[in-house]
Amino acid sequence: MGPGLDPPPVPAACGPRLVPALLKHKSGLQEWVLSGNILYVGGLLPDLAAEQLAADLRASAEQAGGTVLRCFIKHGNYRGHVGHLELISARQAAMVLERLQHCRLHGRSLFFRPDREQVQIIQALHPQEASAAEHARIACQAGAPPPPHPSSGEQQQWQRQQAAQWAVEFHSHRSTLRRLVLH
């Protein structure tokens, strides 16, 4: 990569950029997938204001033990709006995904999954780390225990500050990274 195109480093306390996460489908099937720190949320009620949905989604994620850096809603179609939750770490995103999968918000069942675009960008920019995460995902699929979820307290406070700084830098590079990956 050329000067100014290198992504900022993730603070060590935030853990790996990708971790295995258990995705449970409505059909009852389960699969281990790779997750970064951004989650896609589908099925949000189309009749409520985006600000209200974002506040409720943020509260749900925080109640599930996550530290939300950003939450935004995109207007969807008749099936509902979609949202994105950016958490402090990939481990927290995996924890929130597992705890809130198919929960109900305003009477609607929500669907959580890792943000595929972010996972693809991380895989392209950090192939060794992505390979290690893929090996962990395969081990989880075979029955090995998943990595531990984050602890609470002062460590999360410090992680929140460090991750917020990294997130700002990451998003400033995101359009450049997207062009590199997609072309």
Side-chain angles (χ1 to χ4, degrees):
M1 292 189 133
L5 297 180
D6 294 327
V10 173
C14 290
R17 291 176 184 89
L18 292 174
V19 298
L22 184 59
L23 186 61
K24 299 176 185 178
H25 300 280
K26 283 186 175 182
S27 65
L29 294 176
Q30 299 181 6
E31 69 175 314
W32 287 93
V33 297
L34 292 179
S35 178
N37 70 317
I38 300 176
L39 296 177
Y40 167 92
V41 185
L44 296 167
L45 190 65
D47 299 336
L48 287 179
E51 297 80 18
Q52 180 64 47
L53 286 171
D56 293 344
L57 189 56
R58 175 185 288 271
S60 295
E62 289 175 348
Q63 194 171 29
T67 304
V68 178
L69 296 175
R70 291 186 327 145
C71 176
F72 58 94
I73 307 297
K74 291 182 182 176
H75 291 285
N77 55 25
Y78 66 93
R79 290 182 285 175
H81 297 314
V82 296
H84 287 83
L85 277 172
E86 184 176 352
L87 292 115
I88 198 167
S89 70
R91 285 200 176 118
Q92 268 200 9
M95 176 185 68
V96 167
L97 180 132
E98 291 171 25
R99 290 181 179 174
L100 294 182
Q101 191 62 251
H102 304 297
C103 74
R104 296 188 76 76
L105 183 64
H106 299 290
R108 299 210 29 170
S109 180
L110 301 182
F111 173 73
F112 288 76
R113 69 167 169 74
D115 182 74
R116 291 180 185 140
E117 182 182 359
Q118 182 195 32
V119 171
Q120 290 172 348
I121 289 171
I122 293 170
Q123 288 172 327
L125 294 176
H126 305 283
Q128 289 179 335
E129 189 173 335
S131 176
E134 180 63 16
H135 287 295
R137 185 198 67 78
I138 292 168
C140 288
Q141 191 75 34
H149 290 305
S151 62
S152 60
E154 292 179 16
Q155 182 180 5
Q156 282 189 355
Q157 172 94 14
W158 184 82
Q159 287 177 342
R160 184 181 311 121
Q161 294 168 349
Q162 296 298 312
Q165 180 180 352
W166 175 80
V168 167
E169 294 170 4
F170 176 81
H171 289 292
S172 70
H173 291 1
R174 189 170 189 158
S175 63
T176 302
L177 299 176
R178 189 177 299 138
R179 281 191 306 248
L180 291 172
V181 171
L182 298 177
H183 295 295

